[in-house]
Amino acid sequence: MSCIIKKNILSEGKTKRIYTTQNPLEVLIHYKDNITALDGLKKNFLQDKGVLNNEITTLIFKFINSCGIKTHFIRKKNNREQLCHKVDMIPLEFVVRNIVAGSMSKRLGVKEGIHLSNPIFEIFYKNDKLKDPLINDHHAVFLEIISYEELNRIYSIASEINHIIKKYFLDKNIILVDFKIEFGKNHKNEILLSDEISPDTCRFWDKKTMKKLDKDLFRMGLKEKEEVFDIYMEILKRLNVS
Ligand code: UDP
């Protein structure tokens, strides 16, 4: 395996830093220890959270790759870094919902916990100034972010991802309530699942107790930081049990 040379910072977000490498088609993604919620309004530092999310995302992306769905993930490099295909990120967050919770529950005035017979897809425009508003397909096409064909392709990939990871988590006694995913395009213009899938980007409930096992505990101030770390650790432990 050839050695990877970390070059310049390509971009930096709230929880990750992206570096160029000697290969123009590959980047190194570094997971930081920041934990944020409510569009960055609530920020904190959680020692080694980056290590856990790097490992959790690695396990989930390896599983998704093994199911034949194309992702940016190549391999984990070390505790905090993974080597990925370089993509141009599409500035949309795709949320897939299996059970009503969070912003959908508030926006529509419906109770958290209602099971949806068909998953609901939502798109949010990634724009800090506008605070990532919920938009629809026509807005996204009007803004020239994406075409209708690409949106349909992504909905189909997102649906497949939901189908396989819902079962993957359930086998580990975790209910996948909802999650957010992002996509990018590689140099061949192929759409790849990118970014991360972790307790930062998913709502997980324990199958037996229905207790929350994700960032909601931080968002809602229900737990101290240290306890939130233990919950992320618990998710990792369950994913490691085959
Ligand atoms: N989510 C995320 N990043 C965001 C907003 C939401 O990863 O910036 C995830 C969140 O963890 C949840 C799903 O997307 O699993 C749906 O979130 P929701 O729209 O309910 O908003 P929230 O309650 O996070 O404000």
Side-chain angles (χ1 to χ4, degrees):
M1 216 174 277
S2 63
C3 132
I4 304 157
I5 305 167
K6 194 152 101 181
K7 291 192 143 179
N8 304 310
I9 295 180
L10 187 63
S11 62
E12 180 154 7
K14 293 172 197 128
T15 57
K16 291 187 288 296
R17 199 178 300 127
I18 321 285
Y19 292 92
T20 56
T21 67
Q22 74 274 31
N23 182 340
L25 298 181
E26 294 175 357
V27 291
L28 255 191
I29 302 188
H30 175 103
Y31 281 71
K32 304 195 286 186
D33 284 342
N34 298 359
I35 180 158
T36 66
L38 311 172
D39 284 331
L41 275 181
K42 197 168 166 155
K43 288 187 193 136
N44 221 316
F45 176 84
L46 186 54
Q47 184 70 42
D48 288 342
K49 192 210 75 166
V51 175
L52 292 184
N53 275 359
N54 183 27
E55 178 60 12
I56 292 171
T57 294
T58 293
L59 291 170
I60 299 170
F61 272 62
K62 269 189 182 170
F63 172 70
I64 295 175
N65 275 342
S66 77
C67 294
I69 296 171
K70 287 193 174 174
T71 80
H72 73 157
F73 180 85
I74 301 173
R75 68 184 150 86
K76 185 175 162 188
K77 185 188 173 232
N78 58 38
N79 262 357
R80 288 188 179 275
E81 291 171 328
Q82 44 184 254
L83 184 69
C84 294
H85 296 295
K86 184 171 185 302
V87 292
D88 284 329
M89 290 302 291
I90 298 168
L92 293 174
E93 294 185 337
F94 290 81
V95 168
V96 183
R97 300 183 183 276
N98 295 309
I99 297 178
V100 175
S103 73
M104 178 178 165
S105 154
K106 290 193 201 93
R107 195 182 319 114
L108 302 182
V110 280
K111 262 198 183 157
E112 208 172 86
I114 299 172
H115 287 248
L116 299 161
S117 44
N118 289 309
I120 288 183
F121 298 87
E122 293 174 346
I123 51 177
F124 293 84
Y125 176 29
K126 278 181 73 115
N127 182 316
D128 283 341
K129 261 197 210 151
L130 300 177
K131 297 194 180 145
D132 299 352
L134 172 69
I135 60 171
N136 66 26
D137 292 14
H138 308 294
H139 296 134
V141 173
F142 163 72
L143 291 169
E144 297 183 357
I145 296 171
I146 199 162
S147 68
Y148 285 110
E149 292 72 25
E150 287 167 339
L151 274 171
N152 287 339
R153 168 98 188 103
I154 289 183
Y155 286 132
S156 147
I157 302 171
S159 168
E160 212 178 325
I161 292 171
N162 183 39
H163 182 73
I164 61 169
I165 65 173
K166 212 165 68 173
K167 165 132 192 0
Y168 171 81
F169 286 118
L170 204 57
D171 286 346
K172 289 143 196 329
N173 287 321
I174 300 167
I175 296 174
L176 178 62
V177 176
D178 59 31
F179 61 101
K180 182 268 300 177
I181 41 181
E182 295 184 29
F183 294 85
K185 286 192 219 167
N186 67 8
H187 66 293
K188 293 186 206 155
N189 221 28
E190 288 171 315
I191 291 176
L192 307 186
L193 174 70
S194 303
D195 196 52
E196 67 176 288
I197 299 183
S198 71
D200 274 7
T201 63
C202 301
R203 279 199 172 86
F204 295 134
W205 292 351
D206 181 85
K207 190 179 153 196
K208 289 189 189 124
T209 64
M210 299 304 270
K211 275 193 191 143
K212 296 182 195 296
L213 299 171
D214 56 62
K215 201 170 78 170
D216 259 357
L217 299 167
F218 171 72
R219 272 193 201 93
M220 300 166 140
L222 292 176
K223 297 260 185 210
E224 294 301 321
K225 293 199 288 192
E226 294 70 22
E227 292 174 281
V228 174
F229 184 87
D230 292 345
I231 299 283
Y232 279 43
M233 199 65 206
E234 170 66 23
I235 291 288
L236 179 55
K237 245 195 262 161
R238 291 198 199 183
L239 296 192
N240 272 322
V241 176
S242 47

